[in-house]
Amino acid sequence: MLKKYLLPIIICFIFLSLILTIDYWKVLIIDTLTSTPFIIVLCICALLAALLAFIFSKIAYKVDNDPDLEHYEQDRASFKKFSEMNILLIISFYFALGSILLVSLNDAPISLGIVSIMTLIIAIVMRYYGYTMINKLYPERDLPQNFESDFDDKLIDSLNKEEMITIFTGLYNAFKLTNIVLPAAMLIVTIYSYATGIPQHFALSTIAGCAIAINVMYQITVRKLI
């Protein structure tokens, strides 16, 4: 029971701390977000994450072909590395996207804008590379190719019961976290509005719209399947 409420309690504690200390961190946050070095750090982090993802993909492929492991051990170990690769690719993509958006907002130098664009291109290419890894790790499975229009449907059809339960559990946990993170993001944006004196009405409306769309899509999908 305590574990269920631990994350909301931690989030409430963080928000309370932010409100009580708002005068101490607001200038630092504003200066950081509007600085050129921060964009450079984002680009470097995005490239490092992409590089680490590439390394993890090679490790996953190596483990999947390790003759010293049983077949189920190969699948288990390679999929863990595959998941770690995907986490790094997600970080790389959003850091790269964030860098290019901050370039446009902060009137950063053109040279930094070019670097951000190149970083984003690398992150996108690496993300598509990550998608192709599933076919390399499971060549014996009749898995769809990444660019097929009905890729998602064919992938689901190729899964066994245990795999579907695993994916469902991951998706549902992500869904539950979304319903915590998005309201939390709205509170953070509100606190930021108080700190800077700049109302963030559009940002709040956008986050609320995303939260509504996600939950409505979930309910509609469940209703169709029942």
Side-chain angles (χ1 to χ4, degrees), residues 35-203:
S35 66
T36 298
F38 181 68
I39 300 175
I40 296 174
V41 169
L42 285 180
C43 290
I44 293 174
C45 289
L47 292 173
L48 285 175
L51 176 61
L52 289 173
F54 180 76
I55 294 173
F56 273 99
S57 72
K58 295 301 181 183
I59 295 174
Y61 186 76
K62 182 178 180 180
V63 170
D64 193 55
N65 293 274
D66 190 345
D68 295 330
L69 298 176
E70 297 291 337
H71 182 68
Y72 78 92
E73 293 177 325
Q74 292 176 342
D75 286 346
R76 185 180 179 88
S78 63
F79 189 78
K80 285 185 176 182
K81 295 302 177 184
F82 176 76
S83 297
E84 292 165 358
M85 177 201 71
N86 279 322
I87 292 172
L88 289 166
L89 289 177
I90 291 169
I91 293 172
S92 175
F93 175 76
Y94 283 105
F95 273 34
L97 181 61
S99 70
I100 196 170
L101 293 177
L102 287 178
V103 164
S104 61
L105 291 174
N106 295 349
D107 294 325
I110 296 178
S111 57
L112 186 55
I114 295 173
V115 171
S116 297
I117 292 173
M118 295 301 297
T119 302
L120 181 60
I121 291 174
I122 292 173
I124 293 173
V125 171
M126 284 300 301
R127 200 163 187 185
Y128 277 105
Y129 166 79
Y131 293 153
T132 64
M133 281 300 299
I134 192 169
N135 297 94
K136 295 180 180 179
L137 294 176
Y138 303 100
E140 73 281 359
R141 301 282 295 275
D142 186 21
L143 299 175
Q145 297 299 317
N146 299 307
F147 297 101
E148 293 185 28
S149 57
D150 52 351
F151 172 82
D152 293 334
D153 293 334
K154 288 185 177 180
L155 182 62
I156 292 175
D157 291 338
S158 67
L159 301 176
N160 57 41
K161 183 178 179 180
E162 290 76 15
E163 291 170 337
M164 291 190 70
I165 292 174
T166 300
I167 291 178
F168 169 78
T169 303
L171 290 175
Y172 188 66
N173 285 337
F175 172 74
K176 290 193 298 182
L177 182 61
T178 299
N179 281 308
I180 295 175
V181 172
L182 289 182
M186 294 179 70
L187 290 175
I188 291 176
V189 170
T190 303
I191 294 172
Y192 182 79
S193 299
Y194 282 122
T196 60
I198 305 174
Q200 304 289 327
H201 301 103
F202 183 74

